[in-house]
Amino acid sequence: MARLELKRVVKSYGIYEAVRGVDLVIADNEFVVFVGPSGCGKSTTLRMIAGLEHVSSGEIVIGDRIVNRLQPGERDIAMVFQNYALYPHMTVAENIAFCLEQQRVPKGEIGQRIRRAAETLHIEALLDRKPGQLSGGQRQRVAMGRAIVRNPKVFLFDEPLSNLDAKLRVQMRTEIKRLHQLFPTTTVYVTHDQIEAMTMADRVVVMNAGLIEQCGPPQELYHRPATRFVASFIGSPSMNILPARLEAAGDALVLVLADGSRVSVPAERRARYAPHAGREVDFGIRPEAIVVRSERAAGATIEARVDLIEPLGASTMIYFDIAGQTLCASIDPETAPSAGTLMPLAFDMQRMHLFSRDTGRSLDVE
Ligand SMILES: Nc1ncnc2c1ncn2[C@@H]1O[C@H](COP(=O)(O)OP(=O)(O)O)[C@@H](O)[C@H]1O
Ligand SMILES: [Mg+2]
């Protein structure tokens, strides 16, 4: 059991800063997911926590110890990688036992811990096989078994499901969550997949270019993204983002889009946005906040020529052009038109987002 703290953590490779000052406190037993595009510094951060990379500056604290100078083996962490890193010449049982033997855990206890982990992960029948005789999903379970038998203070996962097919990935996702509920342990899980992040995390940390953009519970990131980057990264399909100018029109505020069309800002948002009147902004609206007009009288209306239709079963995505840009709306399959038809749509402006063009910061959150 341990809390984990990163204080101003920096990693430079020569003059290149891969991690540019990360501050984060992870509570005891919390499940935190780092998500962000490839190359943003997720693995580097995780590897510094594990002790596999030297920290250029800053501090890493596990429990009440600064661990910067400790070897990986002294940090009381267990890590699961994308490529499993199992020893090919050892059986599953030997793979799981290996680090316990290194720690000189008594033989009887090793056997007991292996049996318990094998039961938990449903791999009892595989204990005598070699990794080469296992499927990808089974190898992944063994790698997790090897991690849980150690009872570490902190679990670290680096894209552990990336090599699995889509169905197995979803299954293992649930399984890792279940394991965490069964054996609550401080966990840092890295993925580039925002759906994995949203479904697994107590708290999601969105990284971009070596820095934390925002961290918070999944729903908060979705509904109150602090930056344009988080707004477009979280959610699938992405939030629609339209360049606009915010203008005062008497007492009201309007957004003037690239083609000159005008969209009114709801009265409740006026006070908040008024200081930004006259500025260039980015107007964000999620696909599900674009509704078929007959559903709702209020809101800015659009006549949209539907270019493309994607039926997903529970909802249907329609794509259309507005102000020189392609937008996506998520609508009820019942109301889905055929491609090429004109459709009356409306922005549900109660669910609008507004970002500063210059800084990318949301004008909706402090
Ligand atoms: N050993 C290294 N030497 C130089 N640059 C590195 C090294 N390891 C990683 N990087 C660079 O650091 C950045 C962050 O990498 P990484 O943490 O692996 O990203 P992520 O896991 O988010 O995809 C990338 O631009 C990568 O090229
Ligand atoms: Mg990585």
Side-chain angles (χ1 to χ4, degrees):
M1 311 266 147
R3 88 198 254 286
L4 169 64
E5 183 168 3
L6 307 183
K7 292 186 190 167
R8 295 268 111 209
V9 170
V10 173
K11 176 70 190 180
S12 350
Y13 294 109
I15 57 159
Y16 175 68
E17 279 194 350
V19 177
R20 300 193 288 149
V22 163
D23 275 306
L24 186 67
V25 177
I26 299 174
D28 188 23
N29 294 345
E30 194 178 15
F31 196 115
V32 163
V33 179
F34 277 67
V35 70
S38 177
C40 71
K42 306 180 296 293
S43 294
T44 306
T45 306
L46 199 72
R47 293 171 60 83
M48 286 191 284
I49 299 170
L52 301 170
E53 295 280 356
H54 184 73
V55 176
S56 304
S57 71
E59 270 177 7
I60 296 180
V61 183
I62 298 177
D64 47 17
R65 289 192 302 176
I66 297 173
V67 299
N68 288 43
R69 289 176 198 285
L70 297 184
Q71 292 299 312
E74 301 168 324
R75 293 192 183 193
D76 214 349
I77 47 111
M79 187 148 170
V80 179
F81 299 91
Q82 175 178 349
N83 55 14
Y84 322 127
L86 300 176
Y87 299 108
H89 59 285
M90 293 185 191
T91 64
V92 166
E94 286 164 352
N95 262 286
I96 298 177
F98 185 70
C99 78
L100 297 180
E101 284 163 359
Q102 300 269 310
Q103 293 173 357
R104 305 195 196 292
V105 176
K107 265 219 153 13
E109 191 184 332
I110 292 182
Q112 226 171 29
R113 286 209 218 169
I114 292 179
R115 271 194 304 282
R116 233 184 78 196
E119 269 168 37
T120 311
L121 291 157
H122 311 296
I123 53 171
E124 299 104 311
L126 309 177
L127 288 173
D128 295 326
R129 291 205 206 160
K130 301 258 171 81
Q133 299 166 297
L134 304 176
S135 71
Q138 291 169 332
R139 278 181 220 170
Q140 190 52 260
R141 276 171 211 271
V142 175
M144 290 201 306
R146 196 175 47 177
I148 63 174
V149 287
R150 295 171 54 190
N151 276 330
K153 282 211 178 91
V154 180
F155 269 128
L156 304 175
F157 291 92
D158 195 353
E159 312 236 4
L161 308 183
S162 295
N163 286 344
L164 306 180
D165 65 52
K167 187 160 173 226
L168 198 53
R169 210 153 56 216
V170 172
Q171 198 182 323
M172 291 300 285
R173 191 162 92 191
T174 336
E175 196 130 322
I176 294 176
K177 277 292 278 184
R178 186 179 64 86
L179 275 178
H180 183 254
Q181 277 156 10
L182 225 52
F183 308 103
T185 306
T186 311
T187 302
V188 185
Y189 185 106
V190 161
T191 179
H192 64 275
D193 179 347
Q194 57 98 15
I195 296 182
E196 222 166 270
M198 295 289 278
T199 50
M200 297 179 85
D202 294 328
R203 215 152 41 109
V204 178
V205 175
V206 181
M207 277 191 84
N208 180 27
L211 287 174
I212 294 179
E213 285 267 334
Q214 187 176 5
C215 66
Q219 288 304 313
E220 186 180 314
L221 261 61
Y222 188 82
H223 292 294
R224 298 173 61 77
T227 65
R228 184 174 51 211
F229 179 86
V230 173
S232 7
F233 194 80
I234 300 288
S236 172
S238 284
M239 183 186 287
N240 300 291
I241 309 247
L242 291 138
R245 198 174 55 256
L246 187 66
E247 279 187 4
D251 280 344
L253 283 173
V254 293
L255 290 165
V256 183
L257 305 184
D259 64 352
S261 56
R262 298 161 77 83
V263 184
S264 326
V265 171
E268 312 82 86
R269 304 278 188 108
R270 277 183 212 155
R272 174 171 286 274
Y273 296 157
H276 303 276
R279 298 206 189 134
E280 297 295 323
V281 292
D282 286 313
F283 162 48
I285 191 98
R286 291 213 182 266
E288 65 271 25
I290 303 180
V291 295
V292 178
R293 195 165 59 202
S294 53
E295 288 175 9
R296 199 181 286 250
T301 60
I302 329 155
E303 282 301 316
R305 171 89 53 199
V306 178
D307 290 327
L308 185 74
I309 297 175
E310 270 179 7
L312 297 182
S315 60
T316 293
M317 302 299 149
I318 59 171
Y319 294 85
F320 55 94
D321 283 357
I322 282 222
Q325 217 177 314
T326 301
L327 266 58
C328 174
S330 163
I331 64 169
D332 186 341
E334 299 288 317
T335 59
S338 47
T341 45
L342 264 182
M343 197 169 182
L345 296 174
F347 295 135
D348 178 359
M349 295 299 280
Q350 300 301 330
R351 292 191 270 172
M352 71 174 286
H353 297 261
L354 214 54
F355 305 95
S356 155
R357 172 74 50 75
D358 298 336
T359 65
R361 295 207 62 80
S362 170
L363 305 181
D364 301 290
V365 292
E366 299 310 327

